[in-house]
Amino acid sequence: TQFVVTISGVSSPTKGRLAFRYFVENGGPNGTNGNYIGIDSVHYACNGNLTPTPTPSPTATPPPTVCDLTEEYDNITTLLPGGWSSRNNSQPLGTTGWFQGRTAEFDSQSGAPNSYIAADFKNGAGLATQSNWLLTPPVLLQNDGQFVFWTRVSTGSPRPDRLQVRMSTNLTSMD
């Protein structure tokens, strides 16, 4: 499913980060909630003018703050060197964090079949409250900026998986 989030409530253009949070209560291997979720094809344009078919341009060292951001998750090992941040605050902590998409669960909506980033019930151990964060590199946040992404869960999954989208103007924030 494709989602479009329009930025509002920003009094003037400011540096910040956009964040995904995989959040599940009563999750983990012993829980009754949470399974597997993937995020695919993330695009942000601070002026709201997204091109219909963005061209991925991963770089090892992006500029400190960008207006436009595209991530196709072809190889997630480039994310942290590229300015992305992640933090698993699940309690108790499990054995996985964010990982490269698994085609055994589903294929990505575009690109290589595994070109998405995923999280699962193993983010927490036992009976857990899962709280796994993925933050973009710093971007210019301003009203009418658009954040567009695709996400899905395993077909036929009876368990709820929740993905929250948040915005932070604290550049040192990790969650």
Side-chain angles (χ1 to χ4, degrees):
T1 304
Q2 183 183 40
F3 291 91
V4 178
V5 177
T6 301
I7 306 297
S8 64
V10 179
S11 58
S12 63
T14 186
K15 295 176 184 178
R17 290 177 178 248
L18 297 165
F20 292 107
R21 180 185 184 210
Y22 176 59
F23 178 74
V24 181
E25 292 180 343
N26 194 27
N30 297 342
T32 57
N33 293 323
N35 189 33
Y36 184 91
I37 195 165
I39 304 169
D40 189 356
S41 299
V42 170
H43 310 287
Y44 174 72
C46 69
N47 61 11
N49 293 327
L50 287 171
T51 57
T53 311
T55 309
S57 56
T59 59
T61 310
T65 301
V66 296
C67 179
D68 299 321
L69 174 71
T70 295
E71 180 56 57
E72 300 291 340
Y73 301 113
D74 293 324
N75 178 359
I76 68 161
T77 63
T78 63
L79 293 181
L80 297 181
W84 288 74
S85 300
S86 67
R87 183 178 198 158
N88 189 349
N89 289 335
S90 300
Q91 290 298 321
L93 192 60
T95 58
T96 64
W98 291 99
F99 52 87
Q100 191 73 51
R102 294 190 303 238
T103 57
E105 295 291 339
F106 52 78
D107 289 349
S108 69
Q109 62 87 26
S110 69
N114 72 335
S115 64
Y116 63 94
I117 194 165
D120 66 7
F121 67 96
K122 293 179 184 175
N123 287 174
L127 180 61
T129 297
Q130 294 170 265
S131 178
N132 195 359
W133 293 81
L134 179 66
L135 289 80
T136 68
V139 294
L140 183 65
L141 299 169
Q142 61 187 23
N143 289 338
D144 298 323
Q146 287 193 328
F147 188 44
V148 178
F149 61 95
W150 291 78
T151 186
R152 70 174 286 188
V153 298
S154 297
T155 303
S157 175
R159 298 176 167 180
D161 287 289
R162 293 171 181 85
L163 185 66
Q164 299 173 343
V165 176
R166 301 207 180 172
M167 176 179 77
S168 173
T169 56
N170 178 352
L171 292 175
T172 61
S173 176
M174 289 296 295
D175 57 10

